Each structure stands twice: as C-alpha cells, then as structure tokens.
Amino acid sequence: MPIESYNPYTGRLLRRFRPFAWSKVERILAQSHRAAAAWRLSSFAERARLMRRAAALLRERADELARLMALEMGKPVVDGRAEAQKCALCCDYYAEHAEQFLADEEIKTEARHSFISHEPLGVVLAVMPWNFPFWQVVRFAAPALMAGNVGLLKHASNVPQCALALEKIFHDAGFPPATFRSLLIGSDLVGKLIEDDRVRAVTLTGSEPAGAQVAATAGAQIKKTVLELGGSDAFIVLADADLALAAKTAAQARMINAGQSCIAAKRFIVEKPVVKEFISQMKTHLLALRTGDPLLETTQYGPLARPDLADELTEQVNDSVQAGAKVELFGGQSAPGTALFRPMILSNVKPGQRAYHEELFGPVALVLEAKDSDDAIRLANDSRFGLGAAIWTRDVRRGEALARRIEAGAVFVNALVKSSPEMPFGGVKKSGYGRELSYLGIREFVNQKSVWVAPAPQAEGKKVE
C-alpha cells in the first residue's frame, strides 16, 4: 500500500509515496550498521558541533516545519512553531550535557583502577507516532546520536513529509547520512527489522497494542526496548485549590494538540464541594477556544489527525453515555467521517464505562467526583495507565506528599504536565517503561560496561621495608 499524506482539515491528498521495498531497507540498514562502527569513535566535541547546527536549522526552518505539521496532522501553526523551537532546545541540551552524562564513573574497589563506561550500542530503531511528529523523534534522536548510536526512524504513515524533513535537517547539519535515516515503510516490516541482528535496540512511542507487539518481538531477540505508551492522566483538584487557575489550566491541559497527547489531562478528579463550579468554569474556557484552519495564526485547535480517530472517539463517548455518563458540554464530531471534533465534558463517569477504563485520545474531559483527598488518590490510581498526573492545592507540602502516592511517571503540583529535556519522561503500568530525556534518557541505549584493572603485581622476592 502507498504511504499517503492527507490534510485532515480539507480531506485532500497532499502526496503519495511508494513504500521502500525490503531490499532498499536492508541496504540502508547495512549502511547504518557500518556507519555505527565509525560514529562511535567520533568525539563528543564533533557530535556537539553538529547537534548545535541541527538546533540552528530547526529554528531557521520553524515556519516551514510548522506548515508541514498543520498540513499533515492538523496542528495549528502557532503550536507547530513552538514544537520546532522545543526540538532545538533539546538538541542544544544534549550537545551541552552529553559528555558529562556519559563520563566514566570511578568506582572504589580493591582494583588499581575500576570504573563504569557508557558505550553506544549501534543501530537504534525508533517507531514514532504522528501527534508530535518532530518532538517525539528529536527526544530520541538527540541523545542517541550524542551517545554515539545511529538512528533509523519508522515514522507514522500519515506524516511522511515530516519524517523526510527531519532527516534533511540532520543531513544538512553535517551528520554522516547513514547515522540518521527515515524509512518510508509500513508496520509490516518493523518486525523483520527488529529481528535483524544489526538492530541493537528499539524505542517506540505509540499505542498499547503496538508497544506489546514490539516488546514481544524484541524480547524474543533479547533486545533492549523503551516504550512510551498511552495515558489517562489524572488532574486532581482539591477543595482548597485556586479554582480559577485550576479550571483555566484544566482546559488548556485537555486541549493540548486537540487532546491528542499522551500527557494531556484526561480524568479531572475533583473534590465534591467544588465540582460544580469547576465544571462551570472549565466549560467557559473550552467554549472560548477557537477552531479553524490550522494554517491560520488565530486557530487554537485544529481537527483530529484522521477522520477514523474522530469516529472512534465518538463511539467511545456514545457507549459511555449509554452506560450512564452525563454530557455537561455538548460538542463532538460534526459529522461521521469528518476529523473536526469540538470539546466535550462528561460527568458521572463510573467503572464499567469505556470512558472510565480507556484512553480517550481527543478533546473529551472526564470529570470524576472525589469524597476527599484519599478518594482522589484512589481514583487516580484506579487505571491501568500511569504516565502523568497533576495535583491542585494551596497547601504545597500536602501536594508533594500526595504526589508520592500517585502511580505515574511524573506528577506536577499546581502546574500543567509537560515534558522538558531536563526531567525524565516515561510511565509505569500500561503506559510503558524506560525513560526519555534527562541523563536517564541518554543512558537507556548504552552499554554500561564495568572496567576493572588489577593492581600492579609485586615483584617476587622484593624486600618490603
């Protein structure tokens, strides 16, 4: 099947690409494997020089990249521009810190000299999603390349132009071409790539089923994986919270990328005394948001990335309402088979409903009523996901204490959950394992090698005074 790029706002076909045949994929893999042997010997200074150039190109081409995102997956150009800038920040961060993060660690033993070295693995395959088509890739590629690995990208099939634009940035920055390549392939060749001995590790950001399949294939080959999967993030609002700020941030948190974000807040767990007022204020903020053509500077949220995603979300909402959920804000899909989906709020969300158990990947806010803070934590943890969470309270110490009780990879107190180069990113439970970003992220795909040097032997018969 061809790999096709559609504009979700207009429904028009933009470009069609012929998928790479396995013979071409294998040729690229062979080149990458050979490049890995040379790239691992490059200095941190040389890698950093090229990575800073990549950062500069990301900034220079921010408008062009934002336009591509708007056309291929519906992200407003204002947000796309910010995504390109964030990618540049990540490149600069690892250019600055990689050598320090991967420096030998001296270990005191009975040896003359012992230490842990961090050495590259080789070819790392990245299977990446469409929702943040540059950021998702750069947060893998920047640390991987700075560590001395090389990258092969299998991007989502609806953003091929984004995949090729990112490849061009790394090549134009001066990286040897085989150190980063975008493979225009379907998911049918991913397993075959993982099974090839020249691929040393795999990272995937995507759905739970895709993660399970990649992990199973990699596990059979005894290969390291990092998985960043779905999330149904809890946004806890306690009765003593700054309700106006919490409600405003809640609307923003739910509408990140039109709600198509793993760490977008999805379950709003609100203490009973303030639940009605919270819904009222959040509704006001959601209704104020402007939709339209993603290419316009005034558009605040665009369509979902594909019509089938909107169809699936509509089905989840309808099934949940039939099971007892209450619609507090009517919105949703304008018509079956279209990608535009206006914000919705559902309350009375209970166990047994799809909205309670599943991730709703779009602008539907789920409000759950909590009796008290302990009940709020119980509801937050009553999910198979564990990616991010937020707690809103005027008592910061209480917020920190409650944050430690939440089963998630990240908890933000009185703030919007976000990713940044300095802090590790990833989840627990069905949200995946391993970490991206920070010093932990760059150490995921290295060989942590113990080196032990014996004491110098004492000359036989030598007199010791």
Side-chain angles (χ1 to χ4, degrees), residues 277-299:
E277 181 60 24
F278 173 82
I279 291 173
S280 175
Q281 291 192 32
M282 186 182 184
K283 184 187 298 185
T284 298
H285 290 298
L286 289 174
L287 287 171
L289 295 172
R290 296 184 301 274
T291 189
D293 189 337
L295 290 172
L296 297 178
E297 297 288 335
T298 54
T299 297

Side-chain angles (χ1 to χ4, degrees), residues 38 46 51 128 137 160 162 204 240 253 283 292 336 343 349 377 390 400 457:
E46 173 64 5
M51 192 61 70
M128 292 289 129
V137 179
C162 291
L204 175 140
D240 70 338
K283 184 187 298 185
V349 176
I377 298 298
E400 287 186 22

Side-chain angles (χ1 to χ4, degrees), residues 40 43 53 158 172 177 215 424:
R40 67 181 290 124
S43 67
R53 179 58 184 150
N158 60 326
D172 288 352

Side-chain angles (χ1 to χ4, degrees), residues 349-389:
V349 176
K350 304 287 185 182
Q353 300 169 6
R354 294 184 68 183
Y356 188 92
H357 298 286
E358 298 178 6
E359 177 183 25
L360 271 63
F361 210 62
V364 181
L366 312 173
V367 178
L368 291 77
E369 186 178 295
K371 299 171 186 174
D372 52 30
S373 60
D374 286 337
D375 192 38
I377 298 298
R378 178 190 67 80
L379 288 168
N381 290 338
D382 190 23
S383 170
R384 71 176 190 269
F385 299 108
L387 193 55

Side-chain angles (χ1 to χ4, degrees), residues 223-255:
K223 291 183 182 179
K224 175 71 180 291
T225 54
V226 168
L227 303 180
E228 194 266 281
L229 308 178
S232 190
D233 284 15
F235 187 105
I236 296 173
V237 180
L238 301 181
D240 70 338
D242 180 338
L243 199 62
L245 181 58
K248 182 179 180 180
T249 309
Q252 180 187 359
R254 189 64 197 97
M255 294 303 293

